[in-house]
Amino acid sequence: MARRTLPPPKTGLWSGAHKLVLGTITTAAAFMTLMLNAKALGVSSFLGIIEPNVADHAARRIVLTPRTDTLRAIGDTAVIVATVTDARGATLAGASLRWRSSDSTVASVDSGGTIVARAPGRATVEVRVREVFASASILVRQQPDRLVLVGDSLVDLSAGDTARVAAVAVDAKGHRIRGLSPRWESSDTSVAVIDSAGLALSRNAGTAQLVAVLGEHRAMATLRAVLRPAEIVVLQGEAQRAPAGRTLAVPVVLQVRSRSGEPVPDVDLTFETDDAEAVLAPSTGRSDAHGRVRTTWTLGRRAGVQRLRARVASLDVPLTVTADADPVAKDTRVEVLSEALAGTVASKLERPVALRVTDSSGVALAGVRVTWTPLDGGTIEGAATTDSVGYAYASWWLGPRAGAQRLRVQFGDARVLPAHTLRATASPSVPAAVALSLAKPGAKGTRDVIAKVTDAHGNPVADQTLRFASTIGSLSATEGVADSLGRARVTWSPPTTPAAKSAARVIRAALADSKIATQIKLP
C-alpha cells in the first residue's frame, strides 16, 4: 500500500501566529510589571490605572508592634509597626494600610503609623487592610519633668502685706500638667509664711526663699519684705486746748508704722494747719529710728477747733490732729438769745436755750467748746461746740424745785473767759396731795386747821379750792382757797353740848373736783 505523504507546512503562516501569541503574553506581563512598579512609585492614580492589589486580597492577619504604648508628654511620638500576613503566615508587602484613631484629640496617627500625643487620656489606634484589622491601646499620661514659676522670681512686699505666688508642673515638652499642685515652704517663717495655696504673708523686714515642692522637683522664688509706711499714729499731743494764739503745752509726737505695726524710720512728713496764723516748728520732719516725728504747735488767734494735718507722700489720707483754741476775753462777745425762760418743774422747757459767740468784730466763732451746767438740779442736753455760725443750743429739763433755777454756760476755758448764768422760773406741777395740821388750842378750845396742797415733788400749789368737813363741832368755813404757799386755813370750834363718847372726832379736807383728800383726828 502506498504511503501517503503529508504536504509540508506553510512555514510563513505558522511563524506569524506563533509570534502573535508570544507577543500578547509578553505585553500582558509587561503591563502587569508596569502597574506594580507604578504602585510602588505612588503614581498609579496619576496614570489613571486601577490597581489590582494582590497583597490586599491575600491579607488574612495584621500584627501590631507594640500593641500598647504610653506617651509621657504632650507632643511625644511613637511608631507602631504593622505586619500583614497571608493565610499561610507569609509576610505580604505592599498591602494598603488604613490608620485611624478613636480620639484624635488625645492621640493622632498618620498614614505611616506615627502616633502623636495631643492631650491626657486614652485612645485606640486601628489599622485595616480591607476587612482585616488590628488595634493598639495608647495612653497619654504626662509625667512631671520640672516645676516652673508663674511670674517673677522676686517678690517685693511691704511688711504685713500678702502676695500670691504660683508654680506649675510641666512635662518634658514644656506643657503644663493639670491637676498637680506643689506644696510651699518658707525658708524663714519669721520673715514670711506661705499657705498651701501659695498665699505668702510677710511678717517682718528681711528676705526669705519660698520653695515649691512636688516630689523630687523644686522651684524657688525670693520674697523681699521691706518696711513701708501704712499709717501715722499720735503718740502724744492729741486733744489739747489752749487760749487762741498760744503754744500748746505738749509737743505733738507722731509715729509712722508699717502694716504690721512696726515703726518705719527715714520717712519724710510734712505738717500743715487750717489756720493761716498757726505756727508749726518744724513744718517738715523725718522719722527717727523709732519711726517718730515731733513738732511744736502754736495755735492761730481764731477761737474754735483747729487742725493739724501730717502727710506722707506714699499715703493717700493724712493724719488729722485737733486742738481747741479757747476764746480770749478781749476778743470774744457772747450774746444770750433766750429770755424769760419758764416751765414746769421736772419738765423740758418749750423753747431751747440759745446763745451766740462772735469775735470783737462780729465774726461768728465756730467750733468753740461749750460746757452746760444746771445749778439747781435738772438736766441739760446741749451742743459740745458752737455751730458754723457761732450758735450754741441746748434743751433744759428743769429740776424738781419750784422757783428760780439757774444754768451756767461756759465757753472755752473758765480761767480765760467768764461763764454766763441763765435763769428760768419753775412752776409747780399739778396737785398730787393734801396735808392737814392743827394749830395749838385757842380760846374756848378752838383749833386752827391748816390744809396744804403740794405737787408730786412737794412743791406748794396755790389757787386750789379745798372743801372742809368735821364729824364733831363746827368749822368757820367749809371752803377755802390755797394761798401762794399752798395753804388754806379754817377754825374748828368744839361742840357746845357733850357729844356721845362713840362719836367720830375727824376733820376732812378734799381738793375740789378731785379725788385727792385727807383727814386728821381731833385730840
Side-chain angles (χ1 to χ4, degrees):
M1 183 175 180
R3 185 181 211 180
R4 190 176 180 179
T5 305
L6 296 172
K10 296 179 180 180
T11 305
L13 180 60
W14 176 256
S15 174
H18 183 262
K19 289 180 180 180
L20 178 61
V21 171
L22 290 177
T24 301
I25 295 172
T26 302
T27 301
F31 183 74
M32 293 297 292
T33 302
L34 176 62
M35 287 193 297
L36 291 174
N37 288 336
K39 174 178 175 58
L41 293 172
V43 296
S44 57
S45 60
F46 174 75
L47 295 174
I49 302 172
I50 301 175
E51 47 180 347
N53 195 327
V54 176
D56 287 2
H57 290 276
R60 294 295 181 271
R61 185 183 180 203
I62 303 174
V63 178
L64 298 182
T65 306
R67 293 193 62 185
T68 62
D69 204 351
T70 301
L71 302 181
R72 305 293 184 183
I74 304 300
D76 267 2
T77 60
V79 177
I80 295 180
V81 177
T83 302
V84 184
T85 60
D86 61 13
R88 294 174 297 175
T91 301
L92 297 174
S96 301
L97 300 175
R98 299 193 303 274
W99 295 88
R100 187 182 73 86
S101 171
S102 64
D103 190 346
S104 59
T105 63
V106 174
S108 63
V109 60
D110 65 10
S111 60
T114 300
I115 312 297
V116 180
R118 301 298 184 188
R122 189 181 293 274
T124 299
V125 172
E126 183 183 274
V127 62
R128 284 182 176 270
V129 177
R130 294 172 61 100
E131 292 80 15
V132 181
F133 71 92
S135 62
S137 178
I138 303 299
L139 176 65
V140 179
R141 178 184 292 162
Q142 291 174 279
Q143 181 174 329
D145 180 72
R146 63 189 184 279
L147 284 175
V148 177
L149 287 173
V150 178
D152 294 335
S153 60
L154 178 62
V155 180
D156 281 324
L157 280 182
S158 300
D161 280 351
T162 60
R164 192 172 296 279
V165 292
V168 296
V170 297
D171 58 24
K173 298 290 187 179
H175 295 279
R176 180 176 178 178
I177 303 175
R178 305 284 180 181
L180 287 182
S181 298
R183 61 182 175 85
W184 287 91
E185 300 173 350
S186 172
S187 65
D188 189 344
T189 55
S190 66
V191 173
V193 292
I194 187 168
D195 65 13
S196 59
L199 183 65
L201 168 66
S202 63
R203 287 178 165 174
N204 296 294
T207 301
Q209 306 302 321
L210 305 178
V211 184
V213 181
L214 182 65
E216 61 183 9
H217 303 293
R218 301 284 188 277
M220 185 171 64
T222 300
L223 183 144
R224 185 170 58 197
V226 296
L227 292 176
R228 290 194 178 97
E231 63 174 346
I232 311 169
V233 297
V234 182
L235 296 184
Q236 71 174 35
E238 173 69 292
Q240 295 188 77
R241 60 188 303 178
R246 301 280 184 87
T247 301
L248 295 178
V250 178
V252 177
V253 179
L254 310 177
Q255 187 180 52
V256 183
R257 294 180 182 174
S258 68
R259 187 179 297 275
S260 61
E262 295 292 316
V264 184
D266 300 322
V267 177
D268 292 326
L269 285 86
T270 58
F271 305 110
E272 60 185 27
T273 69
D274 54 3
D275 191 309
E277 294 183 333
V279 177
L280 297 169
S283 59
T284 62
R286 172 168 288 191
S287 58
D288 62 16
H290 301 286
R292 296 174 302 192
V293 184
R294 172 190 307 260
T295 189
T296 299
W297 186 3
T298 300
L299 300 174
R301 290 187 298 174
R302 187 175 181 80
V305 178
Q306 297 190 22
R307 296 171 178 83
L308 177 152
R309 294 181 178 86
R311 297 182 182 273
V312 171
S314 59
L315 299 180
D316 294 333
V317 180
L319 171 73
T320 300
V321 182
T322 61
D324 286 324
D326 290 325
V328 180
K330 66 178 182 179
D331 294 328
T332 306
R333 302 290 181 268
V334 177
E335 180 184 3
V336 178
L337 304 176
S338 299
E339 301 291 343
L341 297 171
T344 304
V345 293
S347 63
K348 179 182 174 182
L349 293 181
E350 291 184 0
R351 291 181 297 144
V353 177
L355 300 92
R356 187 168 188 253
V357 184
T358 63
D359 64 13
S360 55
S361 61
V363 176
L365 297 181
V368 175
R369 185 185 296 272
V370 189
T371 304
W372 310 84
T373 308
L375 300 179
D376 299 297
T379 58
I380 191 85
E381 288 184 3
T385 60
T386 56
D387 63 16
S388 60
V389 289
Y391 285 92
Y393 296 96
S395 296
W396 186 4
W397 279 262
L398 297 174
R401 187 177 62 82
Q405 296 193 23
R406 297 164 299 164
L407 172 65
R408 184 172 62 206
V409 184
Q410 177 66 59
F411 291 98
D413 190 346
R415 296 170 296 181
V416 178
L417 196 68
H420 286 71
T421 300
L422 282 68
R423 288 174 170 77
T425 301
S427 302
S429 62
V430 297
V434 176
L436 283 176
S437 62
L438 296 173
K440 293 180 180 181
K444 300 180 181 180
T446 61
R447 304 285 290 264
D448 282 347
V449 181
I450 303 166
K452 184 175 182 180
V453 184
T454 58
D455 62 13
H457 305 284
N459 295 299
V461 182
D463 300 324
Q464 301 297 312
T465 300
L466 292 116
R467 294 190 175 96
F468 298 90
S470 175
T471 60
I472 190 172
S474 60
L475 296 171
S476 60
T478 58
E479 279 193 3
V481 178
D483 61 13
S484 61
L485 298 179
R487 295 174 180 177
R489 184 189 302 261
V490 296
T491 301
W492 174 79
S493 300
T496 56
T497 59
K501 292 185 178 179
S502 59
R505 299 174 62 84
V506 173
I507 297 176
R508 295 186 177 91
L511 200 61
D513 302 324
S514 171
K515 294 182 179 181
I516 301 172
T518 188
Q519 64 182 23
I520 189 170
K521 189 175 182 181
L522 289 165

